């Protein structure tokens, strides 16, 4: 039976998940990184002439799990993890997280054709982000055009982060090359890979690629040397996601062997996704503030669901949904805990 679904859905309940524990040595290394970013004298190098004090959004991003992701990606080298975290904090300023570029209204034109979708969850509860190159609607041949395409791609990853439940830290990336379309340039793909590896460590759970034409196969052979070994192990080509037990049929589109059809209606999909993500983000930010509003609060605690359901109306969330048309937001959608 085909299920018609016009926008993203809230995350499933995941009972019986347990918080991971650290060894004594890992805990010491974590505390070293935590102390660095909670020091009252800390300023971010390279931003505002070295005088930038962390703002609320940056502290919210620096969760316990965020620090641990960078530590694991740095092979538990505290100095390397601190350096990488500072580089990402600086990059977020340069990439448009703190101006109008990385907002719903700032990226909306890139999404008019539905070339990227957030929908469904794999069997591990990871949200899925679909990329459909055949729906490419903008020109990435210029520096500005490439920047806007990459901002949109990162923006949609951030929305998937908004939809993660407690204990979920990474996502499933699903790239479908069916239907003829314009493939990303080598330079754009390589830059996107560098962003994923440098600024989103431990965020990719699966990377599924389907319907590769010969030209794209050559393209992947060209970019593979630039993919780190850990990321490379997560790549699967032409998988049968339902028979292989990666997705339930009700959580994946028919193009991937599931039961779901998403007829593209930008006027329906986009505002609904923005509202759902803004609502969840507001809940998480309020919980973080209740817990003290500082660096190192756990995503497990921030993402615990309140009694309210996702479709209840709240004025501040409605104001955020209106930011698609340019209204000033009250809840930011650009940084993920």
């Amino acid at each position: 039976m085909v299920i018609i679904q016009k926008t993203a859905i809230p995350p499933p309940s995941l009972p019986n998940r347990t918080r991971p524990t650290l060894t004594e040595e890992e805990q010491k290394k974590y505390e070293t990184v935590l102390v660095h970013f909670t020091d009252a004298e800390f300023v971010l190098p390279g931003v505002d002439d070295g005088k930038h004090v962390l703002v609320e959004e940056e502290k919210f991003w620096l969760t316990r799990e965020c620090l641990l992701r960078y530590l694991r990606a740095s092979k538990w080298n505290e100095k390397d993890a601190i350096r990488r975290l500072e580089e990402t904090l600086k990059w977020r300023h340069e990439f448009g997280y703190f101006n109008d570029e990385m907002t719903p209204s700032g990226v909306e034109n890139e999404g008019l054709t539905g070339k990227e979708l957030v929908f469904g969850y794999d069997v591990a509860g990871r949200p899925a982000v679909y990329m459909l190159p055949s729906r490419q609607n903008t020109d990435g041949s210029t520096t500005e055009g490439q920047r806007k395409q990459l901002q949109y791609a990162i923006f949609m990853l951030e929305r998937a982060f908004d939809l993660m439940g407690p204990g979920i830290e990474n996502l499933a990336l699903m790239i479908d090359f069916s239907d003829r379309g314009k493939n990303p340039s080598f330079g754009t793909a390589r830059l996107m890979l560098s962003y994923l590896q440098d600024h989103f460590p431990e965020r990719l759970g699966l990377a599924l690629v389907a319907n590769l034409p010969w030209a794209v196969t050559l393209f992947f052979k060209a970019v593979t040397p630039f993919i780190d070994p850990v990321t490379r192990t997560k790549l699967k080509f032409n998988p049968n996601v339902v028979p292989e037990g990666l997705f339930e049929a009700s959580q994946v589109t028919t193009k991937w062997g599931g039961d779901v059809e998403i007829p593209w209606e930008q006027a329906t999909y986009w505002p609904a996704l923005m509202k759902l993500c803004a609502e969840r983000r507001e809940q998480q930010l309020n919980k973080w503030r209740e817990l003290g509003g500082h660096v190192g609060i756990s995503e497990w605690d921030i993402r615990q669901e309140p009694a309210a359901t996702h479709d209840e109306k709240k004025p501040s969330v409605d104001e955020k949904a209106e930011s698609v048309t340019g209204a000033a937001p009250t809840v930011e959608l650009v940084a993920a805990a």
Side-chain angles (χ1 to χ4, degrees), residues 61-105:
W61 178 73
L62 288 166
T63 61
R64 172 182 172 84
E65 286 71 25
C66 176
L67 303 186
L68 290 173
R69 284 191 288 270
Y70 277 77
L71 271 166
R72 290 193 297 268
S74 303
K75 297 180 171 52
W76 294 94
N77 182 305
E78 306 101 299
K79 290 184 179 179
D80 195 28
I82 288 170
R83 175 187 59 78
R84 292 185 63 176
L85 280 160
E86 289 182 347
E87 287 176 352
T88 295
L89 286 164
K90 180 181 176 183
W91 172 80
R92 289 163 74 90
H93 281 269
E94 297 167 348
F95 197 66
Y97 275 74
F98 296 93
N99 58 36
D100 292 339
E101 293 179 274
M102 289 283 283
T103 61
S105 59

Side-chain angles (χ1 to χ4, degrees), residues 102-254:
M102 289 283 283
T103 61
S105 59
V107 303
E108 184 182 11
N109 285 340
E110 286 287 334
L112 293 176
T113 56
K115 64 188 177 188
E116 291 188 27
L117 302 171
V118 177
F119 176 80
Y121 303 84
D122 71 6
V123 294
R126 295 178 288 217
V129 178
Y130 293 79
M131 292 186 170
L132 301 107
S134 65
R135 297 185 181 182
Q136 182 58 264
N137 63 313
T138 58
D139 181 9
S141 63
T142 66
T143 300
E144 182 62 20
Q146 181 188 67
R147 177 178 171 86
K148 288 184 177 297
Q149 288 183 355
L150 290 169
Q151 284 175 327
Y152 177 70
I154 296 298
F155 180 88
M156 293 301 278
L157 295 184
E158 294 281 8
R159 303 293 66 77
F161 300 152
D162 288 337
L163 299 180
M164 290 177 177
I168 302 299
E169 297 190 49
N170 44 46
L171 53 79
L173 187 62
M174 308 176 74
I175 309 173
D176 181 9
F177 286 96
S178 64
D179 305 323
R180 300 191 63 165
K182 185 178 180 181
N183 299 320
S185 69
F186 178 81
T188 299
R190 184 177 174 182
L191 194 52
M192 184 66 182
L193 279 172
S194 73
Y195 289 163
L196 289 174
Q197 292 170 175
D198 295 342
H199 305 302
F200 299 90
E202 305 264 322
R203 284 303 212 175
L204 187 63
L206 285 174
L208 310 179
V209 185
N211 301 304
L212 273 76
W214 70 270
V216 179
T217 301
L218 294 176
F219 171 82
F220 267 98
K221 286 182 179 179
V223 300
T224 296
F226 301 100
I227 304 175
D228 69 68
V230 174
T231 302
R232 209 175 302 161
T233 63
K234 300 172 183 179
L235 273 170
K236 292 181 180 289
F237 294 95
N238 297 316
N240 295 310
V241 299
V242 176
E244 291 178 25
L246 300 175
F247 280 84
E248 297 290 341
S250 63
Q251 292 288 326
V252 69
T253 64
T254 54

